[in-house]
Amino acid sequence: MLVEWGMEHGCGIDELHRYLSESRRRTIHLIPTSFPERHLLGLWLKLDDFDVVAFEKSASPAHKEHIITHELAHIAFEHRGSVPLDQTSSGPLLSNVDPAGVRGLLMRSRYSDDEEQEAETMASLILARATKRWVEPAWAVPEEAADVVARIEQGLGKAEPQ
């Protein structure tokens, strides 16, 4: 895949992020947040018009790179995930996100899953070839994702219901 993408000799998160957004014709928003569960560090939400990759904002810079690259690898492989989104299984994390508006949700559930191993391997290959380190930009909520971000934050207990 890296050869196909023209990245066999190296790339960074910015290049991969841009490539996947352009090739899929879908914006991917990278959103730092605090997850209430210690074992959850990242997730990918596939919505009607765009994607959201949320990552643990308190992680070290190198760990953030790995989390984001792992989630982007899931997107590249078009993984389906093993955690269905419905009101009973999502718990408080996504209780305010309407399942009808979400086309897919991918959260890490078990590292033994084939999809998880594939994403971990791809993330490691990409980061081993990274030509520059990722610098987290100053972040503002993108207008098209504002409602989703508010619902995620509300589900995480970070915001009051609107």
Side-chain angles (χ1 to χ4, degrees), residues 8-105:
E8 68 273 21
H9 298 296
C11 69
I13 289 177
D14 292 331
E15 292 85 3
L16 179 61
H17 178 228
R18 187 172 31 260
Y19 174 82
L20 290 173
S21 293
E22 289 172 3
S23 66
R24 296 171 69 244
R25 294 184 179 98
R26 292 175 57 84
T27 302
I28 302 170
H29 296 292
L30 304 179
I31 299 176
T33 193
S34 295
F35 291 98
E37 299 179 34
R38 294 174 53 108
H39 68 278
L40 180 61
L41 301 170
L43 64 82
W44 163 35
L45 280 169
K46 183 177 182 182
L47 300 158
D48 286 333
D49 301 321
F50 58 91
D51 296 290
V52 171
V53 168
F55 59 94
E56 177 56 53
K57 71 179 178 181
S58 67
S60 70
H63 198 185
K64 286 178 187 176
E65 283 183 313
H66 188 83
I67 295 165
I68 294 167
T69 307
H70 175 101
E71 299 304 331
L72 291 175
H74 280 305
I75 293 171
F77 285 118
E78 299 179 5
H79 286 160
R80 295 212 174 265
S82 60
V83 179
L85 178 63
D86 61 35
Q87 294 298 345
T88 58
S89 68
S90 62
L93 176 63
L94 296 168
S95 60
N96 297 308
V97 177
D98 180 8
V102 178
R103 298 292 162 240
L105 166 70

